[in-house]
Each structure stands twice: as C-alpha cells, then as structure tokens.
Amino acid sequence: MTPLPHAAPDCSSLEHPPVTRRRWLGWSLALAASPALPLRAQPGAQPWPSRPLQLIVPWPAGGQTDLTLRVLCEEAAPLLGQPLVVINKPGAAGTHVAPLLKAAEPDGHTIGQVPITVYRHALMNTVPWDPVADLAPIVQVSSVSFGLLVPANSPWKSVHEMIDWAIQHPGELILGSTGVGTTAHLAMEDILLQHNVRYVHVPYKGTADQMLAIAGAQIMAGVNSTGFAPWVDRGQMRLLATFNAARNPRWPDAPTMRELGYPQAVYTSPWGLAAPAGTPPAVVQKLHDAFRTAMFSERHTSALAKYDQALDYLNTRDYRQAVLATVEHEKKLLARMNLLAKPA
C-alpha cells in the first residue's frame, strides 16, 4: 500500500524525529485530504453490500404495508447496487421482527420494518429481547392518521360534547379500539385519563369489526386508523377529531386533538427501518441515504397515498430520539393503566 503523504513514522522504529505541533498539523491535513476509502466491513473484506439484502416485514404478503414496502425496495435496490428480498414474518402483532433482527448478523445485509408497537409490546410483556438495545434505527418512513369516530346519528358533534357527557355519566361511555394496548386504545385513554373519565373499553380484533360496530351504533364511539376513510366518505359515521400533529388535508374540517387543548395527544403509530444493533455506522448511513432517496420517489409516495398514508421522514439520529421519547411517554401511560410488564 502506498503510504499517505507525510505519514507518521513507523512506531516500531527505535529512533523518532521530534513530534512538533507543525508535524501533527501536517499529518491531520494529509489525512483530511486523502480520498475516501470504499465502504468495507473490515480491512480486506468485500465492499458493502456484497450480496442481496433481506428486509423482514412482520405482516402478511399483500397487505398495505407489505405492498408499499415492496415499492420502496424496488426504488432503493439500484441505489444500493444489490436487490432487496422481502421476507414476510407475520404474527404476534408485528413483533416477530425484533427477535429475528436480534439474531441476525450485524453486517447490514438483514434489516426490518419496525412498527412502534414493537417497543410498546416489550413494555407490556416479558420478552427475551429489548428493542431499544437490540435494534439500530435507520430511518423513519411513514405513519398513519388516527381518528375519533361516532355513528352518523350520534348527538355529539364535537370531542368536548362527548367528554362532557362522559363526565356527567360515569362508566356509561362505551368506546371501542383495535385492541388492548394498541395505539388506538392508548390515544383515547391518554385524553380520558386527564378528565378522570370512567368508561367501558371494547377491544376489537380488526378494523372491519369495529367499523361495523360504530356504523351500527353498537358502541358510542371508537378510535381507529385511516381504515375508517370509506365509512366516513359514505356518511356512515362522523369524524370528530384526528390525532395528527396537523389537520389531515383529506378531512380539513376535522380538528386535531392538539388544537382542542391536548398538546401531547399526537398519535400516528410511526414506523421505520432498523438493523441489528452493532451494525457499523457507515453501513447504517449508506442504508439511510438510499432509503431516504427511495422513499421520496413518486412511485413510493403514490403507493402510500393509495392507502391514506404519508411520508413521515426522520433521519437516523432524530428517529432514535423519537423512539426513546415515545418509549418514555408510553411507559408512564401504561403504568397508569396497569399494563406494564411485571419485573422478572
């Protein structure tokens, strides 16, 4: 290998010239001016990536998230110089991705789609993995809109009307969500706890069952993600408010909970991509750069829009900070709800 100009003297030499401030400055300038080396896992290894990448998707093939991720992979593959193979591992509420990433080699060739519910699941259950310690966030990609819905014939025209009624009728409000500990459940619980409202929580297995219950007035209200869109468009239910940071352009008349006086009530169930902990920072950076470019492509943004999703980009540092902030917030909320896992 050709030595760098003004390279430092061989440390094995018995005699060394005096190390002056000028000499140190010369070495620093020479290193800064040197051309960047190819991205390699270690000296003598092949440049990364050296083979196709695997993306673990913890949802069934053909679902909304799966389809948009396949478009994202097609856009990112040319930027990485290797194809991306989607590996579907559904089940356990989307949490299979965490132990699989923990067990994978941290070389950047295996990554996964990580919903925020992975972090919540680890707070609510005793599991042999820690998403904060075992996963290396790469980039936040997208999120969804959650809304508070009531039947079309409900007398409530606003969130405050519903809450005022619930305060005056303790334990009589019947409200549904997509399951205990889901984002939909926590989002409304966060608000009702502030008013000490007692109510009946009805968890549903999926969006369709909950939408039928709301439209048929079997329950008084419900919280769900944008699966409610066609029901609202057909006039079968009313959207009182959303949990976004800003109003959703599709429903500009629906205020946000933040506007209504609940500044912390921003719930969008964001998701992103992560690698196994210990993946080299240079590899994480290259993954971030490729997926950031790919996610802003017209094909990908159109795919998200088809399912009422939007880009919610955060870089690696900000994504990790957002995850840590969410974990701390939900840890306190779950403790108040007596849903935290008991210490082993």
Side-chain angles (χ1 to χ4, degrees), residues 255-313:
T256 66
M257 290 295 185
R258 174 181 282 184
E259 289 178 67
L260 298 177
Y262 306 98
Q264 301 302 318
V266 177
Y267 288 88
T268 57
S269 198
W271 60 265
L273 304 178
T279 300
V283 171
V284 172
Q285 183 64 51
K286 190 169 184 180
L287 285 165
H288 164 273
D289 294 348
F291 279 106
R292 183 188 183 282
T293 299
M295 64 187 279
F296 282 93
S297 68
E298 183 177 352
R299 280 191 67 220
H300 181 248
T301 55
S302 297
L304 288 177
K306 181 178 179 180
Y307 300 109
D308 296 305
Q309 297 181 41
L311 289 177
D312 197 2
Y313 165 74

Side-chain angles (χ1 to χ4, degrees), residues 17-333:
V19 180
T20 63
R21 185 173 182 274
R22 177 172 296 180
R23 181 177 292 273
W24 274 112
L25 181 60
W27 294 345
S28 301
L29 292 174
L31 287 170
S34 300
L37 297 175
L39 183 58
R40 297 176 184 272
Q42 59 185 14
Q46 293 181 334
W48 182 93
S50 60
R51 61 180 186 275
L53 283 71
Q54 292 186 339
L55 172 64
I56 300 170
V57 176
W59 311 107
Q64 297 179 7
T65 303
D66 173 74
L67 293 175
T68 59
L69 279 168
R70 289 176 186 272
V71 173
L72 182 62
C73 286
E74 291 172 3
E75 294 294 306
L79 303 172
L80 291 167
Q82 289 284 355
L84 286 115
V85 181
V86 172
I87 308 295
N88 295 97
K89 294 292 183 180
T95 61
H96 282 326
V97 64
L100 290 172
L101 284 180
K102 178 181 178 179
E105 193 71 26
D107 59 6
H109 288 96
T110 301
I111 59 177
Q113 188 259 358
V114 181
I116 196 67
T117 48
V118 165
Y119 296 88
R120 184 181 305 141
H121 184 81
L123 293 174
M124 296 174 61
N125 302 275
T126 302
V127 292
W129 42 267
D130 179 355
V132 173
D134 297 331
L135 306 183
I138 298 170
V139 60
Q140 182 172 292
V141 178
S142 183
S143 60
V144 297
S145 292
F146 284 84
L148 174 61
L149 305 134
V150 295
N153 61 356
S154 171
W156 301 324
K157 300 297 192 295
S158 70
V159 174
H160 292 312
E161 287 181 4
M162 187 195 83
I163 292 178
D164 288 344
W165 186 91
I167 292 173
Q168 296 168 19
H169 300 80
E172 295 184 30
L173 173 65
I174 303 175
L175 187 145
S177 78
T178 46
V180 175
T182 60
T183 299
H185 181 200
L186 267 63
M188 201 63 216
E189 185 79 18
D190 194 6
I191 289 174
L192 295 180
L193 277 174
Q194 295 180 44
H195 298 278
N196 296 314
V197 168
R198 292 190 291 109
Y199 71 104
V200 177
H201 174 232
V202 183
Y204 289 86
K205 292 183 178 179
T207 295
D209 289 347
Q210 190 199 22
M211 292 299 98
L212 287 170
I214 297 174
Q218 297 173 23
I219 55 177
M220 298 177 176
V223 178
N224 206 308
S225 61
T226 42
F228 61 73
W231 299 82
V232 172
D233 292 345
R234 290 194 299 264
Q236 293 176 281
M237 60 186 66
R238 186 183 308 129
L239 177 62
L240 296 186
T242 69
F243 291 84
N244 295 68
R247 293 199 182 198
N248 189 307
R250 181 165 180 174
W251 301 285
D253 294 332
T256 66
M257 290 295 185
R258 174 181 282 184
E259 289 178 67
L260 298 177
Y262 306 98
Q264 301 302 318
V266 177
Y267 288 88
T268 57
S269 198
W271 60 265
L273 304 178
T279 300
V283 171
V284 172
Q285 183 64 51
K286 190 169 184 180
L287 285 165
H288 164 273
D289 294 348
F291 279 106
R292 183 188 183 282
T293 299
M295 64 187 279
F296 282 93
S297 68
E298 183 177 352
R299 280 191 67 220
H300 181 248
T301 55
S302 297
L304 288 177
K306 181 178 179 180
Y307 300 109
D308 296 305
Q309 297 181 41
L311 289 177
D312 197 2
Y313 165 74
L314 288 177
N315 63 31
T316 301
R317 183 193 63 185
D318 292 344
Y319 180 28
R320 180 170 182 79
Q321 290 302 315
V323 165
L324 294 176
T326 298
V327 168
E328 287 305 309
H329 173 72
E330 294 197 353
K331 187 183 294 183
K332 296 174 183 177
L333 180 57

